[in-house]
Amino acid sequence: RGEPLVGVPVRLLVGSTVAGRVRWASGPITETDDRGMYRFARLAKGRYLVHVPSIQISRPDVQTLSDLGMVDQGALVPLARA
């Protein structure tokens, strides 16, 4: 079990039937709270999809003193693990 994702945007897509086919339109948006939870209040009865956009962040696994400009020789001394 991991840590909660805080401040992640969550959007509802609202479904409606047009000419016998379901069409999806962008609906309300909210963010996850400090527990990773989200809530949409006062929704009318209907068809909804929850959409959470994919956000990818790249960062190094190990931070070194040379990465921070603190060692001239570039010694690989881990300071912290991500």
Side-chain angles (χ1 to χ4, degrees):
R1 203 170 157 167
E3 295 295 316
L5 296 174
V6 179
V8 174
V10 180
R11 178 181 298 278
L12 278 185
L13 299 176
V14 182
S16 61
T17 304
V18 177
R21 298 179 75 177
V22 177
R23 304 288 185 201
W24 297 99
S26 184
I29 190 167
T30 190
E31 288 186 351
T32 58
D33 63 15
D34 61 335
R35 300 169 297 153
M37 305 290 286
Y38 63 89
R39 179 182 303 243
F40 291 97
R42 297 182 295 279
L43 292 177
K45 183 177 177 179
R47 187 180 296 180
Y48 299 92
L49 287 177
V50 175
H51 177 255
V52 178
S54 173
I55 300 172
Q56 297 180 3
I57 299 173
S58 176
R59 65 179 188 195
D61 185 46
V62 177
Q63 189 175 36
T64 65
L65 290 173
S66 70
D67 291 341
L68 299 174
M70 300 175 82
V71 175
D72 290 335
Q73 290 86 13
L76 297 176
V77 181
L79 290 180
R81 281 202 175 268

